[in-house]
Structures are given as C-alpha cells and as structure tokens.
Amino acid sequence: MSAPVVLRVIEFINKAAGIVLTTEKAYFIEARLSPVLREESLPSIDELLTRAERGDRRLAQRIVDALTTNETFFFRDKAPFDHFRNIIIPELISRRPPGKAIRIWCAACSSGQEPFSLVMILDELKAQLGGRNVEIHASDISEAILNKAKSGTFNQFEVQRGLPTKMLLQYFQKDGDNWKISQDVVRRVNFFKFNLLDDPRSLGTFDVVFCRNVLIYFDRPTRAKIFDKIADRLAPDGFMLLGGAESTFGVTDRFASHPKERMLHLPLARKAAAIPARTA
Ligand SMILES: C[S@@+](CC[C@H](N)C(=O)[O-])C[C@H]1O[C@@H](n2cnc3c(N)ncnc32)[C@H](O)[C@@H]1O
C-alpha cells in the first residue's frame, strides 16, 4: 500500500469515526482491509476508498467495521461492575421515585458483553429494585459488531473471559461449538447504531453512561466534545464510567469524582457563558 493511500485511509477513518491512526499502523490497516477486498472482489485499497469516498455507504461502513477494534469481555475490569452493583444502583433506587425508569447507556458496546453483564447484575438486584423498570440502551458505530451482539452468540474463548461459571450455566445454552445467551437477556437490551461524533440529544437523558475503552482511540479535542455531550445527556445526579486507561483529567471540567469512588464520574452543570465586559 503506497504512503498516499495510507494517509487517505487515516483521514477517512478519522472523519468517519474520530479514530486516530498513524502511519506506523500501515500494516494494521492492510491486514484489516485485505479481507474486505477479497470479499468485495476489489483490486486495491485505493479502489475501495475511492468508492467509499464517492458515496458508497455500504463500503464506507465495511471500512469502519474493519478498522474498529472490538476487544471486550464480560465484567471487564470487575471494579466498574462492582461499583454499579454496590454504589450506583443503590443510590439511584434511593433517589428515584419507584415509577421512574432508570436509564443506562453503553455508548460503545461492541459485541454486547458489557450490557449483558449489566443485565445479569440487575437480575441479582431484583429484590432491591422492587419491580422498577431499568432500560439498557447499547450502541456502537460498527454494524457488524452490533449484529454479533444481537445474535447473543459467543465462542468458547469469549465465555471463558470474565464470566463466572455459575452465570454461564444459568444464562447460556450450548449451540454447536458456541454458546447462546438466553433470548430473555438479549431482549432486555436495546441495541442501536450510534456514532459518538453525532449529536445524542434525541436519545434522551440517562442515569448511567458506560463509555469504556473507546475514547482511547480519539484525540483530546474529540474526547472533550464527547465528554460535553455525555455530561449534557446525564441526569444531574447521574454517573459516567470510563475504561481503565481513560480519564477526564486535563480534557474536561464537566465532571467531578464520586466522594466514595474516584472512578465514578459525576456530571457538573455547564458553566454559564461568560458575560462580556461592558465597554464604556
Ligand atoms: C474496545 S471496544 C470497547 C467495548 C466495551 N465498551 C468494553 O469496554 O469492553 C471499542 C468499541 O468502540 C466502538 N467505536 C469506535 N469508534 C466509535 C464511534 N465513533 N462511535 C461509537 N462507537 C465507536 C468500536 O466499534 C468498538 O466496538
């Protein structure tokens, strides 16, 4: 792949998804796009890009699907899920009237392990929730990975990562070489395509936003804009959770830390626009 084509791919994925790739990633780009060329019977990455740039949305989506990194696993990093169980849900139950739904958004859900982990925790907390409605909305930019999430199908390796055996036996059934999570669990998650670069206002207000292990792929100004949008979408007493390598520090002043747990980010109101000083 020639250097100018590498640069065009880098520009394309940055515009389409906010993802920052550097020229050292040329091998990665080639490895990820080669299967697309074969499947689409296209002669070169140059041709694939040209068609996507000229408006072939299906091919543009194929490039995005190929260049996103979908690494995830059940109960990833454990602590955020412990905080969800031990701090977030109890606090929300104590503050919200019983008739009001609790709304959760997994903003880069990949193949679904994150929202499915939340469903399993909510089942454990059924008695505490006392019939309260908890909505789980889960989005991703990749259509291919969302289709996998909606299928609820996982291979042996995936169910061995982070998932307690008790939950494997309780929620999954063997399906050939794979495992299928119960349809009841799949139905409790509203999967939809959403690009974090887009305006999320139509999604409504959330009590909890999981935005984990996706901002690492973006530059600082993009992260700042996304933090702003999430802060605006959160209830004033809502929570945001990030990945282990992600932080608001030096990027945004729209969040404070929870007094008991600094990994829980609490939204702050947008500062009133500065009133211009009067000139005589
Ligand atoms: C590494 S996975 C993280 C999955 C999960 N949140 C976790 O922590 O395990 C990152 C996900 O972000 C998605 N992604 C990348 N850019 C995105 C964007 N602009 N909008 C929405 N999702 C995006 C990718 O498709 C991928 O599935």
Side-chain angles (χ1 to χ4, degrees):
M1 195 175 31
S2 69
V5 174
V6 174
L7 290 175
R8 272 172 65 210
V9 176
I10 289 173
E11 201 186 320
F12 180 90
I13 195 66
N14 184 250
K15 245 171 118 180
I19 293 169
V20 177
L21 293 177
T22 54
T23 47
E24 296 95 80
K25 290 273 183 159
Y27 73 92
F28 162 89
I29 293 171
E30 197 151 18
R32 291 285 188 93
L33 293 180
S34 294
V36 180
L37 298 185
R38 275 197 302 278
E39 285 163 27
E40 298 289 342
S41 306
L42 289 170
S44 63
I45 293 177
D46 187 3
E47 178 67 20
L48 171 67
L49 258 186
T50 302
R51 292 195 191 192
E53 285 164 349
R54 287 197 185 140
D56 187 325
R57 293 165 70 140
R58 195 182 61 79
L59 287 182
Q61 182 67 47
R62 288 221 65 179
I63 298 175
V64 170
D65 288 349
L67 294 180
T68 44
T69 296
N70 310 120
E71 162 75 0
T72 187
F73 50 96
F74 289 101
F75 300 97
R76 183 173 188 173
D77 302 335
K78 191 173 174 299
F81 295 92
D82 290 344
H83 300 326
F84 178 74
R85 180 192 290 109
N86 301 328
I87 301 178
I88 296 178
I89 289 295
E91 285 195 12
L92 288 173
I93 288 175
S94 73
R95 292 191 214 128
R96 297 281 184 278
K100 195 170 187 307
I102 292 173
R103 300 188 79 231
I104 300 166
W105 179 25
C106 293
C109 67
S110 187
S111 38
Q113 284 90 328
E114 187 177 87
F116 292 148
S117 299
L118 297 179
V119 171
M120 293 186 252
I121 292 176
L122 290 168
D123 270 359
E124 278 174 28
L125 302 179
K126 212 170 178 170
Q128 277 180 57
L129 284 161
R132 221 174 265 264
N133 184 19
V134 183
E135 297 174 10
I136 303 183
H137 302 270
S139 59
D140 202 282
I141 196 174
S142 165
E143 287 178 8
I145 208 69
L146 281 170
N147 286 336
K148 173 168 161 50
K150 287 184 219 167
S151 79
T153 304
F154 298 95
N155 64 29
Q156 187 67 37
F157 175 65
E158 289 166 328
V159 296
Q160 276 169 344
R161 296 181 80 197
L163 185 69
T165 312
K166 181 177 152 270
M167 287 179 171
L168 176 65
L169 298 176
Q170 186 179 345
Y171 289 100
F172 291 75
Q173 284 214 321
K174 199 93 176 71
D175 180 30
D177 287 342
N178 294 326
W179 293 85
K180 245 180 158 24
I181 199 164
S182 128
Q183 273 306 303
D184 281 350
V185 174
V186 177
R187 271 196 293 268
R188 280 159 69 185
V189 182
N190 168 36
F191 286 107
F192 63 103
K193 183 177 162 188
F194 184 78
N195 183 346
L196 283 167
L197 302 185
D198 289 342
D199 184 345
R201 273 179 294 186
S202 64
L203 305 181
T205 301
F206 295 96
D207 299 296
V208 190
V209 175
F210 281 75
C211 187
R212 306 197 62 233
N213 303 300
V214 61
L215 298 177
I216 37 169
Y217 300 105
F218 303 153
D219 61 19
R220 186 184 291 231
T222 307
R223 290 202 297 265
K225 279 187 207 146
I226 294 171
F227 280 138
D228 244 355
K229 293 181 204 179
I230 293 176
D232 289 342
R233 285 304 89 224
L234 273 169
D237 57 352
F239 303 83
M240 176 180 74
L241 294 98
L242 301 176
E246 293 161 335
S247 159
T248 55
F249 186 74
V251 186
T252 180
D253 56 5
R254 295 291 310 275
F255 292 87
S257 287
H258 188 282
K260 283 192 212 148
E261 177 46 62
R262 60 166 191 84
M263 276 169 69
L264 296 180
H265 302 274
L266 313 176
L268 297 172
R270 196 180 272 278
K271 280 195 188 119
I275 301 162
R278 242 181 223 247
T279 45

